[in-house]
Amino acid sequence: MVAVLAGKAPTQTAYADAFTSAARRLGADTFTLVADDTPFDGTVGQTPLAGNTAAINALKQADLLVDLVFLLFSAEQIEIQESGTRVLLCIEPPEILSRMFPTKDLRRRAEKSEELLRNSRELRITSEAGTDVVYSLGKYTPLTEYGYTDTPGRWDHWPAGLVASQAYEEGVNGTVVLAPGDIIFPFNSYVSTPIRLDIEDGYIRKIRGGLDASLLEDYMSGFEDPQAFAVSHIGWGLNERARWSALHVDSRTIGMDGRSFLGNVMFSTGPNTEFGGTNNSMCHLDIPMRGSSLALDGRTLIEGGKVVLDELVPQPE
């Protein structure tokens, strides 16, 4: 059984029709559940399914749920996944879906990255801009995104291509410097002036810099939630077909090109419920950084924004 959760916008209706048509051609039973319109505005955790037990129970009967409304970081999605239902998020424009279509090689590299993270205890990021921060790993299971899911209860996002993990709650210390050209989501904008983030025991304690730093601090403070300043997941991009300039040329994108860009290091803040944590802050930042280096237990995987570990280098299929 394939279920599609959609809003009433024409684009979502078109996607719902396409997914159900494809599923039926493959011999699957399908149904579409139409929810109230809740355009994604960058905040997380609030969904049109909140309190709707009947809808949630219906979606839990599906083998696969195609999510067109953005359930990520919500209690409703976690409940649906715990029933064994697979969830596939899909809200990017068709051109990006086509260009970043998932491949077996992308899955191979994502799962190899997951293995490396799972068996490591320290992750360190450095950069010429001044980043030097250490994550203590080992508590949480890493997350992979390669664009499809065939494992019960597993979530993925088409299009994507990345891996991420979560440190111990108090296990992140050091400095992150966001350099011009890095991307801040959900601002959907490129950094123009350096931003220095001083991190101690898993929290951003000070934000320093010019206008960009002031805007970032004002945005995060506006949630009036101390957990907004908690450091969340850390990971890197693996999709060689992702484009750093995509955000600049297509305002419809929610930014999976930047997040998945091969060799980027993505620093994130806020909620960690997708990893099994308890931080459910509505303030979530994803910040892909170019030109950084990343090492696990002293072994360099990414150097100056380039993947240097042979097992993670894309191979032709």
Side-chain angles (χ1 to χ4, degrees):
M1 174 71 72
V2 175
V4 179
L5 176 63
K8 300 174 184 177
T11 300
Q12 294 190 31
T13 299
Y15 274 26
D17 289 345
F19 274 110
T20 55
S21 176
R24 288 168 184 161
R25 288 201 301 271
L26 293 171
D29 294 324
T30 68
F31 71 90
T32 299
L33 194 155
V34 180
D36 292 334
D37 289 319
T38 54
F40 179 59
D41 62 0
T43 58
V44 295
Q46 291 188 327
T47 80
L49 295 183
N52 193 335
T53 302
I56 294 170
N57 287 339
L59 296 174
K60 287 162 67 173
Q61 304 309 306
D63 299 293
L64 172 66
L65 166 61
V66 179
D67 172 18
L68 305 180
V69 305
F70 202 90
L71 296 177
L72 190 61
F73 292 112
S74 70
E76 294 77 34
Q77 177 175 303
I78 292 172
E79 181 179 346
I80 292 168
Q81 286 181 253
E82 288 177 343
S83 74
T85 298
R86 292 172 282 147
V87 180
L88 181 67
L89 174 65
C90 180
I91 52 178
E92 286 278 20
E95 307 92 285
I96 296 177
L97 298 178
S98 176
R99 172 166 49 79
M100 294 173 62
F101 199 82
T103 65
K104 292 181 180 179
D105 182 65
L106 179 59
R107 178 176 183 172
R108 174 189 65 79
R109 290 180 284 117
E111 291 181 338
K112 179 59 181 179
S113 298
E114 178 186 12
E115 176 188 335
L116 292 168
L117 275 170
R118 190 188 300 271
N119 294 323
S120 299
R121 292 298 173 263
E122 180 183 280
L123 180 151
R124 184 183 182 191
I125 311 166
T126 57
S127 75
E128 292 186 358
T131 293
D132 193 347
V133 63
V134 174
Y135 286 67
S136 297
L137 305 177
K139 181 178 180 180
Y140 293 105
T141 300
L143 171 74
T144 56
E145 296 183 31
Y146 44 80
Y148 62 99
T149 174
D150 56 10
T151 305
R154 184 179 177 277
W155 174 91
D156 211 315
H157 186 180
W158 173 34
L162 58 90
V163 65
S165 193
Q166 175 80 29
Y168 282 87
E169 277 76 0
E170 298 181 352
V172 186
N173 291 278
T175 301
V176 170
V177 179
L178 309 181
D182 293 343
I183 305 173
I184 299 178
F185 296 110
F187 287 12
N188 288 6
S189 65
Y190 298 90
V191 173
S192 58
T193 57
I195 304 172
R196 180 185 177 98
L197 308 174
D198 295 331
I199 300 168
E200 182 180 349
D201 296 335
Y203 284 82
I204 298 172
R205 305 296 183 179
K206 184 176 289 187
I207 300 176
R208 292 185 278 174
L211 176 61
D212 285 350
S214 296
L215 292 172
L216 181 62
E217 184 167 23
D218 180 74
Y219 175 78
M220 298 177 74
S221 298
F223 286 84
E224 298 182 346
D225 178 7
Q227 294 301 313
F229 291 87
V231 176
S232 183
H233 56 81
I234 186 70
W236 60 89
L238 292 163
N239 197 320
E240 69 277 18
R241 289 174 293 169
R243 295 175 182 168
W244 199 258
S245 62
L247 182 64
H248 184 66
V249 299
D250 192 341
S251 61
R252 298 171 300 163
T253 178
I254 69 159
M256 290 314 297
D257 275 276
R259 291 176 172 92
S260 301
F261 187 84
L262 182 66
N264 96 76
V265 175
M266 190 167 72
F267 170 80
S268 301
T269 66
N272 64 2
T273 52
E274 290 300 300
F275 293 84
T278 58
N279 184 346
N280 60 358
S281 175
M282 291 176 59
C283 179
H284 177 55
L285 299 174
D286 279 340
I287 306 178
M289 304 182 294
R290 292 187 71 178
S292 296
S293 299
L294 183 148
L296 294 176
D297 293 341
R299 182 186 189 186
T300 300
L301 279 61
I302 299 171
E303 186 170 4
K306 182 179 179 181
V307 175
V308 294
L309 186 67
D310 288 344
E311 296 157 292
L312 304 185
V313 174
Q315 300 296 322
E317 293 193 331

